[in-house]
Amino acid sequence: MLHQPHSSSIYSLSDFDKAVACIKFYEGLHTKKDYPYIGYGHCIQPGEKLNWSLTKKQADALLRSDLKKLCVIFRRYGADSLLLATLSYNVGCGHILGNGKYPKSQLLLKIEAGDRKFHKEYLEFCKYRGKRIASIRRRRYTELRLLYNM
């Protein structure tokens, strides 16, 4: 028998809210020891006047604002823009789009070529300091399950 998600499950949320819930789950609420990150993984930028007394509601609003900005950056990728924005929230845009330090990712090259079989390339974004991390791979897998539109 096929499992039907309950209406109160994460699957009943909009794709954007699924992405927010996923990020919140894996990032957790950062504390003073996580500087320069606050809230649910927001990196404090020069000139920002943010402090550690951020409420959960403020942290949620900041996450949503950051994710919307990333969606705009990846807008040209259509149905994949939210998935790419969610990934870049964790790994940074440069690792995906390429910059002076990193080449354009194999993931993005496949998407640009119209190749919808990019699961392997997406799951490759599971390394920290060059080492594969099981918890990061679980996060990537969860993101794919929630946000991959086929």
Side-chain angles (χ1 to χ4, degrees):
M1 177 178 233
L2 187 62
H3 177 267
Q4 294 295 322
H6 293 71
S7 61
S8 62
S9 78
I10 194 167
Y11 293 100
S12 66
L13 299 174
S14 71
D15 285 347
F16 189 83
D17 286 331
K18 287 177 197 173
V20 168
C22 186
I23 291 168
K24 287 167 102 173
F25 177 82
Y26 282 101
E27 288 290 333
L29 202 53
H30 291 268
T31 63
K32 198 170 189 172
K33 71 174 178 54
D34 300 310
Y35 181 85
Y37 297 96
I38 63 168
Y40 296 105
H42 173 81
C43 185
I44 298 172
Q45 300 300 307
E48 280 187 322
K49 304 272 190 260
L50 297 170
N51 62 44
W52 303 108
S53 61
L54 214 58
T55 65
K56 285 184 178 182
K57 187 175 182 178
Q58 290 169 322
D60 180 84
L62 192 55
L63 164 57
R64 289 171 183 277
S65 174
D66 287 346
L67 191 57
K68 284 177 186 172
K69 289 174 189 172
L70 292 168
C71 284
V72 169
I73 291 170
F74 291 100
R75 176 179 25 212
R76 67 181 172 265
Y77 298 101
D80 297 318
S81 62
L82 182 58
L83 182 66
L84 291 168
T86 303
L87 176 62
S88 71
Y89 188 84
N90 184 233
V91 304
C93 290
H95 287 277
I96 301 167
L97 295 168
N99 58 23
K101 191 174 179 183
Y102 305 103
K104 186 182 285 190
S105 69
Q106 291 299 308
L107 168 66
L108 204 56
L109 292 172
K110 272 196 156 182
I111 290 171
E112 289 175 346
D115 187 343
R116 301 299 300 151
K117 296 178 182 173
F118 56 75
H119 297 82
K120 179 179 172 271
E121 288 74 16
Y122 192 87
L123 293 172
E124 282 297 310
F125 283 93
C126 67
K127 296 175 185 167
Y128 179 70
R129 297 187 175 165
K131 184 179 177 193
R132 288 181 191 271
I133 307 295
S135 62
I136 299 174
R137 186 170 172 87
R138 282 191 299 276
R139 178 178 182 162
R140 296 291 97 84
Y141 182 75
T142 302
E143 291 163 354
L144 274 174
R145 293 265 331 244
L146 290 174
L147 304 171
Y148 178 70
N149 293 313
M150 182 97 183

